[in-house]
Amino acid sequence: MRPFAYDRPTTIADAVASGAQPETAFLGGGTNLLDLMKGNISRPARLVDVTRLPGLSTIEWLQDGGVRIGALVRNSDLAHDPRFANRFPSVAEALLSGASAQLRNAATAAGNVLQRTRCQYFYDAASVCNKRDPGTGCGAIGGLTRLHAVLGWSEHCIATHPSDFCVPLVALDAVVEIEGRAGRRDVPLEALHRLPGNTPERETVLEPGDVITAIRLPAEAAAYAGNARYLKVRERTSYAFAVVSAGAALRLDQGTIVSARLALGGVALKPWRARAAEDLLAGALPGATVFRDAAALALAEARPCGDNGFKIELARRIIVRALTLAAAGTPDRVPALPASPFALAPTQEVSAHV
Amino acid sequence: MSDITMPNVAAIERSRHGSSIGQPVTRREGHLKVTGQAGYAADYNPPGLLHAVMAVSGISRGRVTHLDVAAAEAHPGVVKVMTPANAPKLAKSPDDKDHGFMFRMNVLQNDSVRFANQPIAVVIAETLEAATEGVALLRPRYAEEPARIGLDGSAAFALQAVGAGAPAKGGIGDIEAGLAEAATRFEATYETPAQYHNPLEPHATVAEWDGDKLVLHTPSQGLTMAQGRIAGLFGIDPANILIKSPFLGGGFGAKGLFSGPQVLGIMAARFVGRPVKLVLRREQMFGPVGHRGETRQTLRLGADSTGGLTALEHNTLTTTSFYDDFFEPAGTTSRHLYASPAIATSHEGVRADIGTPIFMRAPGEAPGSAALECAIDELAVKAGMDPLDFRLRNYAEIEPITGKPFSSKALRQCYAQGAARFGWASRPRAPRQMRDDDGLLVGWGVGTATFPAMIFPSEARAVLRVDGSARVEIGAQDMGQGAWTSLAQIAADGLGVDYDKLDLEIGSSALPTGGIAGGSAGTATAGSAIHHAAADVIKKLAALATSDERSPLFGAGNSGVVPRDGRLVRQDDESRGESYASILARAGLAEIDGKGSAGPNPSMQESYAMHSHGAVFAEVKVDPDFGQIRVTRLVGAFAAGRIINPRMVRSQYYGGMIWGVGFALHEHAAADPRSGRLMNANLAEYHVPVNADVPLIEAILVEEHDPHVNVLGLKGVGEIGITGTVGAIANAVWHATGVRARAFPITLDTLLERPGDI
Ligand SMILES: Cc1cc2nc3c(=O)[nH]c(=O)nc-3n(C[C@H](O)[C@H](O)[C@H](O)COP(=O)(O)OP(=O)(O)OC[C@H]3O[C@@H](n4cnc5c(N)ncnc54)[C@H](O)[C@@H]3O)c2cc1C
Ligand code: SF4
């Protein structure tokens, strides 16, 4: 590893100042960053360890019914917080479907949101990569692209954002609280990650020194608690990133959808909010036809970037199933295999595509 | 307090059997392992130790034209950089092959690059971190040539031998005639990917030179072979090399033959004149230490109107490197398993810019039985028969090609017991008939398991002491399978002493040669030598007693006495005997020792075909919309002769079956089609099953008595669990979905591609 300086600030102001120096990275749980450093993919000259910053490790319930998740709250603590899991069950289910128990114990909320892509070419120092080394080309295009993006990609980068946590969060209008050199600001999670365009190396709207201090979910998000699911298709039963995932949440009134929230994971370089599909669902009666129409709309602009065309149809089916499960109601407790197709409550509408 | 004393059940069990063999004793070294006291090679830190890290090639083919050695050596802590320009020359070219079991290595003797991840330099530093950064600073430049990758990357060629030297072709009868007369014919091609062993413990060396003497801590599945290989390369006497390998964190064949990176660790220590530790990084396990080559297997089969096979043809195309020969012997399974008047098996090779493949757990049988068991299933369905009935219909009573009888074969019982336990009888014949409560598709499949029973040459020494304790020494290796325990059980019984009084020493090249812990033959190999060494001790002891008129055994004759619980007793009257202690004490001896050896028995091999067998039943569930597959139940019934320790054996079967799950659904090395680099060379992306992938697994130990296979009557259990399982799962996936996936691993997109589906 490249030798690096190590700062452990105890105030946010110091963290911002320290973090604004060149070639600097914030260190959360380190489960992503340290792997990248050991693989020589990230070579920071300075690590600013944020885990000792005061006041960022709590789940705070706001007056208006919303919640403020401190940036340092560990993934497992958040998922297992009974009140949180009760209000935001799809977020808890998404968290528990990610990584392994050990990793979730170490991973922080902010670190999860800011985890880097799992594009195999990004991780391979011997391959070119526009994100890692701007201007060198995209190693993935023309190579192994089975798991790459089908939405929002560019000819400069076809990677996906791998976080499960972000998918229901973005569906539920989460807001990211940031402290930076210019003070405090809020950024909707949907606007945090950038699509690659021709600057794939610029992954988020964060500026040097910007520390994520919290992630907020608004009170309205809790109104979906009774009908919210996360569903994740993967290549083994657990401990694998999503091939495609979906977070679906419905607000029902006397059997009619008042409003819907829908987002996809594993399809783009950001958690992908499907607003047009949400609009279509609002006011409809839940059912296979409208779910299929919503799925079609969500994927209307999708295109394969190589040998990953199957992900488009897969995403449609996952949307239909996630909406079906959400309509059936959130189970009392997170299933033993969270978000897995093998942990379904009995479903009515399992079709026969395979 | 109650005055009832509970009986010591374990002791009673043991005395009833009069034996340690057969007892499910727990691992002797278990406590050491769970408390972190079992020292693996990389745990050893002699004074003055330096750390070495390999730099590996980013290209698959070409030459290294530049390394920034100055930058690396300028980095604080870096001691030296070893490159082809300055690496110690070896006494023997690593490209020389004295025999087919010697494989070429890439150990910095020139600047050529023959595969991605090939070592191109070694940085030696005071710390691991400094060495790692030194490697990053080398920034290699290359003259790159286009990589030739995969089964279609270059021209196929004919082979003489495959695997460990089996003939590339083998068969009997006339295939075309068999096919012509068949009522049902079936042909299909199956593909299996490159797989990498990835034991949890990567290859590691801690090398210490003292003049031309070498002490080496490194994991090895074959200490004597390793010693010989090192001696040749460094031009020293094998007796000057001490290898310590008491614990291995898995081997699976990757640690069977001494590898290039291990040689580099020794070279590095010589290069800097200090002890050096070299541990492979996980991604470096993908290339220089072997793998299972890709295969493409085409099978043509015919069956008559009663379901009897009329022809079985199994042709394999498999990859090797451009610089050496190792060919996955996938077709050999078809030579032993089913009766057919016509059998033809053949292998062809293809060269690619990859590291040379090598033995990997169930080499040949794993991919070969995967294809064979799928093809048999497909033919059974086409012939309108239940797949299990079809297999029974084609049961081989004698080994089909050689005509030899089996030394033992309880496969029928395996089928019967496995099927009963699984509930096979209620299986609907047609696919897509079963759903669970959640609407998931359910399918059941079966596969036959088979693995040859082998044995390698080995020697052991046994000692009985006057205090009633005993000691057995053999340079055998415990890869984690439980050799520390099961070999002690064999030794205790052979010497007639209590298991707890038996002291076993294994895992060092200073001990008598323990042969190879490979080919599922480790227990047969080391166990047989131990058995003979113990018998030798008992014979000497008996001679002392029976010729001494002060002994109650006087005149009983050497063969008239047997060992029992620390005593020799008359065979015709077990109440008359004498303790070892008293025999030795009277003779004025503190201890008495004996030697034994074992190895293949040519006359038995001439007379009998020797294999373990089994039957594996799998249940899978498939999501009908997503194609995601989960194995929900596995039942394996195996017959492998005498069972030394049912606990260890069961865990070998579980491990094999779980490996089969990985083979069927997960494992594959994903090579970039342009560069040939493996893009998933880490354990986050190179998937093997996790707990949630194996919810319910059972292994049935089917009784089998084998008087011929070896002196202990035991066959191997380490690899057979993989065979049968892969086919059973693939067949279950078909039964669930109606889709025949013929490329492994079976991934969800294969099932999504059902015609007319989307
Ligand atoms: C084997 C494996 C499997 C995995 N599987 C999954 C999976 O299935 N699903 C899934 O969603 N994830 C998965 N993960 C990823 C895991 O969720 C992330 O590694 C983890 O959430 C990162 O959190 P961390 O606190 O360790 O972040 P770190 O590694 O510490 O940091 C990650 C990034 O965030 C930045 N950062 C951290 N905190 C802050 C802050 N407060 N302000 C500003 N920047 C900050 C860091 O500079 C760094 O760039 C897996 C990881 C591994 C290693
Ligand atoms: S897809 Fe993006 S991250 Fe992957 S190699 Fe291309 S530029 Fe790099």
Side-chain angles (χ1 to χ4, degrees):
Chain A
M1 278 204 244
R2 179 184 181 188
F4 54 85
Y6 176 73
D7 291 350
R8 203 160 69 192
T10 50
T11 68
I12 290 173
D14 283 351
V16 171
S18 201
Q21 297 171 82
E23 296 190 81
T24 296
F26 289 116
L27 176 68
T31 61
N32 188 216
L33 180 59
L34 295 187
D35 270 5
L36 288 164
M37 289 171 66
K38 289 183 209 163
N40 223 4
I41 306 305
S42 294
R43 291 177 57 82
R46 174 182 306 275
L47 283 189
V48 179
D49 184 342
V50 296
T51 59
R52 308 300 160 102
L53 292 179
L56 303 187
S57 300
T58 51
I59 304 167
E60 190 186 332
W61 293 93
L62 305 174
Q63 292 289 321
D64 65 356
V67 67
R68 186 171 182 275
I69 306 158
L72 297 177
V73 175
R74 306 286 163 168
N75 288 187
S76 47
D77 290 339
L78 184 59
H80 292 298
D81 184 273
R83 188 164 171 198
F84 182 82
N86 192 284
R87 302 270 177 98
F88 308 104
S90 59
V91 182
E93 190 167 17
L95 277 170
L96 292 175
S97 75
S100 66
Q102 294 89 335
L103 285 160
R104 293 191 298 268
N105 287 343
T108 62
N112 189 317
V113 169
L114 290 178
Q115 64 175 292
R116 318 283 300 273
T117 181
R118 304 303 291 200
C119 171
Q120 297 170 332
Y121 295 84
F122 172 75
Y123 267 76
D124 178 36
S127 296
V128 296
C129 170
N130 283 329
K131 184 185 276 299
R132 177 168 26 85
D133 300 308
T136 53
C138 169
I141 293 175
L144 302 174
T145 50
R146 236 181 115 244
L147 299 175
H148 282 79
V150 293
L151 284 163
W153 53 272
S154 74
E155 67 274 25
H156 302 289
C157 179
I158 58 172
T160 60
H161 192 261
S163 167
D164 292 304
F165 183 41
C166 284
V167 177
L169 279 183
V170 84
L172 295 173
D173 278 337
V175 171
V176 180
E177 292 183 10
I178 297 160
E179 291 272 0
R181 283 176 297 178
R184 220 206 97 171
R185 71 188 195 280
D186 283 354
V187 172
L189 178 60
E190 201 182 353
L192 181 74
H193 300 97
R194 299 165 52 110
L195 288 175
N198 47 23
T199 52
E201 72 280 11
R202 297 186 54 197
E203 299 181 337
T204 66
V205 298
L206 296 180
E207 299 291 334
D210 278 354
V211 183
I212 294 184
T213 51
I215 297 155
R216 235 173 35 236
L217 277 166
E220 306 83 75
Y224 293 85
N227 296 86
R229 289 307 295 271
Y230 183 67
L231 182 63
K232 175 180 177 185
V233 168
R234 50 203 128 165
E235 301 202 295
R236 63 182 166 192
T237 311
S238 181
Y239 199 21
F241 289 95
V243 177
V244 176
S245 70
L250 301 172
R251 215 142 56 77
L252 296 172
D253 186 23
Q254 313 210 335
T256 301
I257 300 171
V258 178
S259 61
R261 297 299 180 78
L262 186 63
L264 289 168
V267 294
L269 201 44
K270 59 190 291 185
W272 191 265
R273 179 94 180 250
R275 286 187 185 271
E278 292 176 0
D279 293 345
L280 180 88
L281 291 164
L285 287 173
T289 310
V290 71
F291 291 165
R292 272 202 285 276
D293 291 346
L297 204 52
L299 276 301
E301 321 233 291
R303 57 200 171 109
C305 62
D307 45 9
N308 62 349
F310 76 96
K311 284 178 70 168
I312 298 172
E313 175 59 19
L314 186 60
R316 288 191 199 109
R317 295 179 189 179
I318 291 171
I319 290 175
V320 172
R321 178 80 65 79
L323 287 167
T324 307
L325 289 169
T330 307
D332 291 342
R333 50 160 63 204
V334 179
L337 288 174
S340 169
F342 298 104
L344 301 177
T347 50
Q348 345 42 50
E349 297 267 338
V350 190
S351 48
H353 287 295
V354 165
Chain B
M1 280 271 293
S2 152
D3 57 0
I4 300 173
T5 323
M6 293 304 284
N8 179 341
V9 180
I12 290 174
E13 283 288 304
R14 216 179 278 169
S15 67
R16 182 170 334 130
H17 293 278
S19 163
S20 288
I21 290 179
Q23 301 302 317
V25 290
T26 54
R27 277 163 209 272
R28 285 199 139 190
E29 80 289 11
H31 186 262
L32 289 182
K33 283 185 174 164
V34 299
T35 54
Q37 296 177 78
Y40 290 80
D43 294 329
Y44 176 61
N45 297 301
L49 181 71
L50 294 177
H51 297 265
V53 175
M54 300 192 311
V56 297
S57 166
I59 63 164
S60 295
R61 182 185 171 205
R63 276 188 320 109
V64 179
T65 55
H66 179 76
L67 291 167
D68 197 345
V69 172
E73 286 188 339
H75 185 71
V78 171
V79 173
K80 247 173 158 175
V81 179
M82 185 167 79
T83 70
N86 61 8
K89 290 297 164 231
L90 295 166
K92 174 187 184 67
S93 163
D95 276 353
D96 282 356
K97 277 171 90 79
D98 298 353
H99 49 78
F101 234 60
M102 186 173 272
F103 290 89
R104 300 199 166 107
M105 300 172 165
N106 299 279
V107 288
L108 303 182
Q109 300 301 293
N110 56 56
D111 62 10
S112 71
V113 172
R114 309 200 273 203
F115 59 94
N117 278 354
Q118 178 197 305
I120 54 172
V122 174
V123 178
I124 304 142
E126 298 287 348
T127 64
L128 175 63
E129 290 74 13
T132 306
E133 180 61 11
V135 167
L137 293 171
L138 284 175
R139 295 185 198 287
R141 287 202 295 270
Y142 307 96
E144 186 174 2
E145 290 178 63
R148 297 152 294 185
I149 294 304
L151 289 160
D152 301 308
S154 67
F157 56 94
L159 302 176
Q160 291 302 310
V162 292
K169 288 195 160 97
I172 187 174
D174 182 341
I175 287 288
E176 297 307 331
L179 287 170
E181 77 188 43
T184 313
R185 276 177 285 274
F186 175 74
E187 173 174 352
T189 298
Y190 301 86
E191 297 204 352
T192 66
Q195 300 168 339
Y196 284 74
H197 311 69
N198 276 301
L200 204 54
E201 176 204 29
H203 292 57
T205 50
V206 180
E208 295 169 275
W209 283 100
D210 176 10
D212 65 351
K213 288 198 168 65
L214 172 69
V215 177
L216 184 66
H217 286 68
T218 197
S220 168
Q221 294 175 246
L223 289 165
T224 309
M225 276 196 318
Q227 211 180 18
R229 187 71 167 120
I230 298 166
L233 287 170
F234 290 89
I236 56 176
D237 184 348
N240 281 356
I241 303 167
L242 173 62
I243 309 177
K244 299 216 158 202
S245 185
F247 304 106
L248 283 79
F252 311 126
K255 295 169 184 165
L257 291 139
F258 209 65
S259 67
Q262 288 167 295
V263 172
L264 287 172
I266 301 170
M267 286 169 63
R270 169 154 276 187
F271 184 59
V272 293
R274 281 173 64 180
V276 167
K277 181 189 291 188
L278 189 154
V279 183
L280 265 64
R281 295 167 60 91
R282 181 55 64 185
E283 68 270 20
Q284 296 176 342
M285 295 293 289
F286 291 78
V289 294
H291 69 283
R292 193 197 302 285
E294 288 172 66
T295 74
R296 182 180 294 151
Q297 304 172 53
T298 301
L299 284 94
R300 288 200 300 161
L301 298 87
D304 64 24
S305 57
T306 68
L309 283 171
T310 57
L312 165 53
E313 184 185 58
H314 190 161
N315 295 329
T316 300
L317 180 67
T318 183
T319 45
T320 190
S321 69
F322 264 98
Y323 62 92
D324 211 344
D325 293 344
F326 180 89
F327 303 98
E328 185 74 12
T332 54
T333 308
S334 290
R335 297 175 186 166
H336 315 291
L337 200 50
Y338 295 107
S340 171
I343 296 177
T345 61
S346 77
H347 298 79
E348 288 190 314
V350 165
R351 297 202 184 277
D353 292 307
I354 52 175
T356 309
I358 198 67
F359 305 95
M360 177 162 164
R361 203 168 179 198
E365 284 80 11
S369 89
L372 175 61
E373 288 306 303
C374 288
I376 286 284
D377 219 77
E378 298 204 45
L379 181 62
V381 170
K382 226 178 156 188
M385 285 179 74
D386 171 84
L388 181 54
D389 291 344
F390 187 82
R391 284 170 172 84
L392 283 163
R393 168 70 184 80
N394 291 291
Y395 196 87
E397 302 292 352
I398 53 169
E399 194 178 48
I401 296 178
T402 63
K404 292 182 205 170
F406 291 98
S407 60
S408 64
K409 180 174 178 179
L411 176 57
R412 250 195 206 91
Q413 293 87 319
C414 295
Y415 286 135
Q417 293 181 31
R421 180 74 196 164
F422 187 82
W424 182 261
S426 66
R427 173 184 179 273
R429 185 78 55 82
R432 297 184 75 87
Q433 300 301 301
M434 302 195 288
R435 296 240 179 183
D436 73 0
D437 291 346
D438 294 337
L440 298 170
L441 297 163
V442 179
W444 290 356
V446 62
T448 310
T450 178
F451 198 82
M454 296 187 268
I455 188 167
F456 302 111
S458 63
E459 294 164 12
R461 179 170 174 266
V463 182
L464 264 182
R465 305 193 191 101
V466 70
D467 64 2
S469 68
R471 176 181 174 81
V472 164
E473 298 173 351
I474 182 164
Q477 303 85 18
D478 191 334
M479 302 169 289
Q481 78 275 37
W484 277 108
T485 310
S486 53
L487 295 182
Q489 289 176 272
I490 293 169
D493 274 16
L495 289 167
V497 299
D498 195 273
Y499 173 76
D500 303 322
K501 294 204 175 123
L502 191 282
D503 196 16
L504 177 73
E505 190 174 343
I506 63 173
S508 162
S509 67
L511 302 168
T513 178
I516 303 166
S520 294
T523 312
T525 298
S528 299
I530 289 172
H531 178 87
H532 289 305
D536 188 40
V537 170
I538 296 301
K539 195 171 124 208
K540 287 183 184 168
L541 199 63
L544 282 179
T546 57
S547 61
D548 185 340
E549 45 189 41
R550 288 165 299 175
S551 168
L553 295 170
F554 178 64
N558 239 354
S559 51
V561 297
V562 289
R564 283 277 180 280
D565 296 331
R567 297 164 61 77
L568 286 183
V569 297
R570 286 184 74 108
Q571 221 160 16
D572 52 5
D573 177 3
E574 294 207 359
S575 68
R576 289 167 66 194
E578 186 178 17
S579 74
Y580 299 163
S582 114
I583 301 170
L584 287 174
R586 189 154 12 77
L589 292 173
E591 59 177 48
I592 184 166
D593 73 344
K595 288 201 168 98
S597 63
N601 178 340
S603 76
M604 280 299 172
Q605 289 177 330
E606 284 288 295
S607 316
Y608 294 101
M610 302 189 266
H611 303 270
S612 302
H613 289 95
V616 181
F617 297 82
E619 174 183 275
V620 304
K621 292 189 179 179
V622 181
D623 187 289
D625 292 326
F626 311 147
Q628 193 176 325
I629 307 166
R630 187 182 192 207
V631 177
T632 46
R633 204 151 60 93
L634 276 180
V635 175
F638 302 95
R642 175 189 277 191
I643 299 304
I644 302 298
N645 182 326
R647 182 191 303 270
M648 304 298 153
V649 166
R650 225 174 239 119
S651 110
Q652 287 296 298
Y653 290 150
Y654 292 158
M657 289 156 79
I658 293 165
W659 189 296
V661 174
F663 194 121
L665 303 181
H666 305 128
E667 266 192 72
H668 76 291
D672 180 275
R674 304 155 301 180
S675 71
R677 290 186 60 73
L678 298 181
M679 301 313 300
N680 60 346
N682 61 71
L683 291 184
E685 324 278 335
Y686 185 92
H687 283 179
V688 297
V690 295
N691 282 325
D693 289 307
V694 192
L696 219 149
I697 182 165
E698 279 183 75
I700 300 169
L701 276 46
V702 174
E703 189 157 334
E704 188 178 70
H705 176 67
D706 194 321
H708 309 297
V709 64
N710 52 50
V711 64
L712 293 165
L714 67 88
K715 301 177 185 171
V717 298
E719 297 164 89
I720 187 170
I722 306 170
T723 72
T725 303
V726 185
I729 292 170
N731 296 333
V733 168
W734 167 79
H735 190 238
T737 63
V739 179
R740 282 288 182 187
R742 299 195 182 99
F744 293 99
I746 305 172
T747 53
L748 56 94
D749 42 322
T750 329
L751 302 183
L752 292 176
E753 280 162 10
R754 198 163 70 108
D757 169 25
I758 292 176

